[in-house]
Amino acid sequence: MADVLEQKARALLTATAVRSRAEQMLEIGLRGGLTHFTIDLDRMDGVADAVLAVTRKAYPTLDIPFHARWRHFVFGGADRWAQLADAAPWLNRAARARAEFDLAIVSVLLDAGAGATWRYRDAIMGQGIGRSEGLALASLDMFAGGLFSRDARAPFRVDADVLAKLPLSALTSAFQASDANPLLGLEGRTDLLQRLGRLVAARADIFGLQDTPRPGGLFDHIAAQATDGAVPAAAILSAVLNQLGPIWPSRLELAGVPLGDCWRHPAIKADDATAGLVPLHKLSQWLSYSLIEPLQRAGFEVTDIDGLTGLAEYRNGGLFVDHEVLRLRDAADAERGHAVDSLLVVEWRALTVALLDRVADRVRAKLGRTPQSLPLASILEGGTWAAGRAIAFARRPDGSPPLKVISDGTVF
C-alpha cells in the first residue's frame, strides 16, 4: 500500500501531471466553477496576435531559440557566457556541460522575482539592470568570479561544500542589495542554495559520479540514462524533481515524497490521495528547459521537448489577465496581496499552464507551423513571456504584474 502511494506521489513529479491537472482547472473554470476567475476564450485570438507581434520583432526570421536561462546572459548584443566558455580550456565536452549545469542550476534557483525596484549595476555596461536579466547577470558574475568554487584557479564550478556554508552576507553583497536597493526573498534564496549544497554533498552517488560532488554532476546522472545518444525532456525534469526535490522548504509531502511546487485546491478531483493537489513545478521546468542546450552541446539529442509544459509564472499569467482572458470575480483582488498557496494564485497559475498550450496552438496555426518546427519552448521565448511583460508595462508604469503575489523567493 505504501509503495502504491509513493508511486502516486512520484506521478505528481511529472509534466504530464502538471498538464492534466491544469486542464482540469481550465475545464472547471469554463463551467463557471472557480472561486476567483471567469474565463473568456473569445479573447485568445488577441493574445496570439500579441505574442506574434513581439516574436516577429525579436526574431524576424522566426528562428527562435528555447526559453532558457541562457537568453538572459545575452546583454547589449553580447553573449556573456558564450564569450567566457568559448575561451576556457575545457578538458572535454562533458566538462563544459558540468559547468553549464552548475551555472544553470544556481542561476535558476536565484531567479525567483526581484521586485520592481532592485537593480544590479553591471560593470561592463555601467547601468542598472532589474528583474530576471539583472538576477541573471549577477549570478553569472558570481559564478565567473568563483564565489561558489573552493579553488580560485578553477572558478567555473559550484562545489557542494561551498554552497552549504554560503553566508547571507555573500549573496547580499554579490546582488548589491541594501536598504536602498532591496531584493525580495534574499534569505529564502540563500537558504535554498545552502539546502542544495547539503543535498549534493550527501548524494555523491548522484552528483559525484565523475567529480567531487557538485550540482553539475546531475549531467552525468542524466547522460547515463541516454538511449542511442537520446534523452527525453521528461527524463531531465524527472531528474531535477526527484534529485533536487528535497531542497524545497516547508512544502507538501505525500508518502514521504516532497512534492515541490505543488499546492492544494479543493476543486481538483482524483480517486486517490492525490485529490486536491495541483503540481506546477515552475522553477524545475524552467531549469529543465535550461539544461537542454548543455546536453545538446555535449552531443546528446533531446527528444519530446513539448512534453514539458508552459511555465506558471507572473509574466505568462499576467498575459492572460491583462488581455482579459482571465477576469477576477472580485475586482478588489487586484489590489490585495496573495500568498503563493492561496486559491487565487493556485487557480491563476494552473489556468496559465493550460492557456499557454492553447495560445501555442493558435500561434502555430497562424504561422503554418507544427509542434516539431515550433515547440512550446520557442513560443515561450518568442513569445508569451515577452508579450506578458509588454502589456504589463503598457498597463502599469512600473511593469508590475496585474496581481500581487507575496513571494518567498522560491516560487516566482
Side-chain angles (χ1 to χ4, degrees), residues 164-218:
K165 297 173 183 174
L166 189 72
L168 173 62
S169 59
L171 272 192
T172 302
S173 174
F175 275 125
Q176 303 170 359
S178 65
D179 289 343
N181 189 34
L183 177 62
L184 294 177
L186 194 51
E187 293 83 359
R189 291 170 217 258
T190 305
D191 181 57
L192 202 57
L193 290 191
Q194 291 171 347
R195 286 169 177 264
L196 174 65
R198 292 194 295 270
L199 174 77
V200 169
R203 293 302 306 273
D205 57 319
I206 299 294
F207 297 99
L209 294 174
Q210 302 293 332
D211 200 346
T212 53
R214 55 192 288 196
L218 194 65

Side-chain angles (χ1 to χ4, degrees), residues 394-412:
R395 293 284 182 94
R396 293 167 296 279
D398 65 352
S400 59
L403 301 177
K404 298 177 176 66
V405 177
I406 303 165
S407 175
D408 65 354
T410 65
V411 175
F412 280 118

Side-chain angles (χ1 to χ4, degrees), residues 150-163:
R150 69 159 78 98
D151 184 353
R153 297 164 300 177
F156 294 172
R157 60 180 293 125
V158 175
D159 286 299
D161 54 347
V162 175
L163 269 194

Side-chain angles (χ1 to χ4, degrees), residues 13 241 245-246 248-253 257-263 278-281 284 411:
L13 302 180
L241 287 170
W248 300 106
S250 305
R251 298 271 175 81
L252 298 175
E253 288 190 1
V257 176
L259 299 181
D261 184 6
C262 181
W263 312 91
V278 185
L280 295 161
H281 306 314
S284 295
V411 175

Side-chain angles (χ1 to χ4, degrees), residues 54-89:
V54 297
T55 300
R56 286 197 164 106
K57 183 176 180 181
Y59 301 100
T61 64
L62 296 180
D63 183 18
I64 311 163
F66 298 150
H67 190 54
R69 194 52 163 164
W70 310 107
R71 308 291 83 77
H72 289 150
F73 299 141
V74 180
F75 204 82
D79 188 330
R80 302 277 182 90
W81 169 243
Q83 289 175 342
L84 292 168
D86 291 347

